[in-house]
Amino acid sequence: MQIIACYSNKGGVGKTATAVNLAYAFAASGRRTLLCDLDPQGASGFYFRVKPSGKLTEARFFGDTDRVAKSIRGSDYDNLDILPANMAFRDFDIFLSRMKDGRSQLKKVLKSVKSDYDVALLDCPPNISMLSENVFRAADAVVVPLIPTTLSQRTFEQLQTFFRENNLQEKKIHAFFSMVQGVKNLHHDVIAEMTQAWPERFMQSQIPFASEIERMGLTRAPVLATSWQGPASQAYQALSDELDRRMNE
């Protein structure tokens, strides 16, 4: 089972929209896919119209594999299941900090569903914490959306520094630009500067700023399912294909 984390240490960059559409794309390609929402806001589950289990507390998430399995919900799409988040997930960091081997507990949880899925997508909360360190250690790829601004450049540098200081594999990082507006000179300049500075870390695919992505909150479905010929859908499909190639190189 390949584990792909959608992560950003900065909020509001299109992380959940990316996780939702990548999960849909992998499922549509025929792979058994689990979208695991680790963000207590529960947006991934909302987009797929599934309700979380209130019984999946932080202790049960990391210690009761049967409860985790029972909390997985089916979706309206073939090959795609959802493990929705609930508000108890906000205490993951405190719980993990008290556990022995607290930096590797998420990997153990995902191992319990390994035989049921080909791909697990993780929608992660936007911070650097004990939980995110679990994510970095468990994931085969960490997909990082970045809005092309100077602040994003700073947060991306922070992320890479964290990887180096904690002996994490930087090659897991697969960044891309999100909410790109072609009319903005700042976006052009930042994209050029960052891709030149870290050519091996950035994918070529870019996600445009698009109203169809904003409407996901109304349609409560991936744009790949509702507007598959639109520019945003084509961009997410290209992103999925490129990520697939990079992970199998």
Side-chain angles (χ1 to χ4, degrees):
M1 182 176 76
Q2 289 182 314
I3 300 173
I4 302 169
C6 290
Y7 171 83
S8 172
N9 44 335
K10 184 178 183 304
V13 298
K15 171 184 58 65
T16 295
T18 300
V20 165
N21 282 285
L22 285 181
Y24 178 89
F26 281 116
S29 72
R31 280 167 281 191
R32 299 168 300 167
T33 302
L34 174 66
L35 175 56
C36 180
D37 192 354
L38 298 173
D39 191 332
Q41 296 181 58
S44 284
F46 173 81
Y47 281 138
F48 283 105
R49 303 172 185 267
V50 296
K51 293 183 178 179
S53 168
K55 297 180 180 178
L56 191 60
T57 62
E58 67 275 21
R60 284 177 166 170
F61 186 96
F62 292 106
D64 186 345
T65 55
D66 289 339
R67 174 52 60 187
V68 171
K70 289 177 181 176
S71 300
I72 293 174
R73 308 289 190 240
S75 74
D76 293 335
Y77 309 101
D78 292 340
N79 303 316
L80 180 54
D81 291 341
I82 317 294
L83 180 57
N86 65 50
M87 287 304 291
F89 288 22
R90 72 188 188 282
D91 296 325
F92 274 2
D93 280 316
I94 298 173
F95 187 80
L96 286 167
S97 67
R98 295 170 178 166
M99 292 185 76
K100 184 180 179 182
D101 299 327
R103 289 178 170 79
S104 57
Q105 292 299 316
L106 180 62
K107 194 168 188 175
K108 295 178 181 176
V109 174
L110 295 172
K111 189 177 180 180
S112 70
V113 298
K114 182 178 179 180
S115 61
D116 296 324
Y117 297 99
D118 301 309
V119 180
L121 262 294
L122 312 179
D123 183 14
C124 308
N127 49 39
I128 293 182
S129 62
M130 181 74 86
L131 175 61
S132 52
E133 190 169 348
N134 268 263
V135 167
F136 301 151
R137 295 190 184 283
D140 299 299
V142 181
V143 179
V144 183
L146 293 160
I147 299 174
T149 65
T150 50
L151 187 58
S152 292
Q153 185 169 353
R154 179 173 178 270
T155 57
F156 188 62
E157 290 171 350
Q158 290 174 335
L159 177 62
Q160 292 190 102
T161 299
F162 184 86
F163 266 67
R164 284 193 295 273
E165 291 179 347
N166 290 276
N167 297 317
L168 297 163
Q169 297 179 42
E170 288 184 74
K171 67 179 183 180
K172 288 184 177 182
I173 297 175
H174 301 269
F176 69 96
F177 291 103
S178 174
M179 300 184 182
V180 175
Q181 299 184 59
V183 297
K184 289 189 173 181
N185 290 333
L186 175 63
H187 282 203
H188 284 287
D189 294 344
V190 172
I191 288 171
E193 185 175 341
M194 293 185 73
T195 52
Q196 184 176 11
W198 301 289
E200 71 283 2
R201 297 278 74 84
F202 275 88
M203 293 188 277
Q204 294 182 353
S205 302
Q206 298 176 3
I207 305 300
F209 184 87
S211 58
E212 57 193 307
I213 299 174
E214 293 181 312
R215 283 198 297 271
M216 282 175 56
L218 298 174
T219 62
R220 298 184 68 178
V223 293
L224 277 165
T226 60
S227 180
W228 65 273
Q229 289 183 314
S233 293
Q234 293 180 22
Y236 278 124
Q237 187 61 57
L239 181 71
S240 172
D241 294 343
E242 184 177 3
L243 176 63
D244 211 12
R245 288 194 299 272
R246 288 169 66 104
M247 290 185 66
N248 289 294
E249 284 178 350

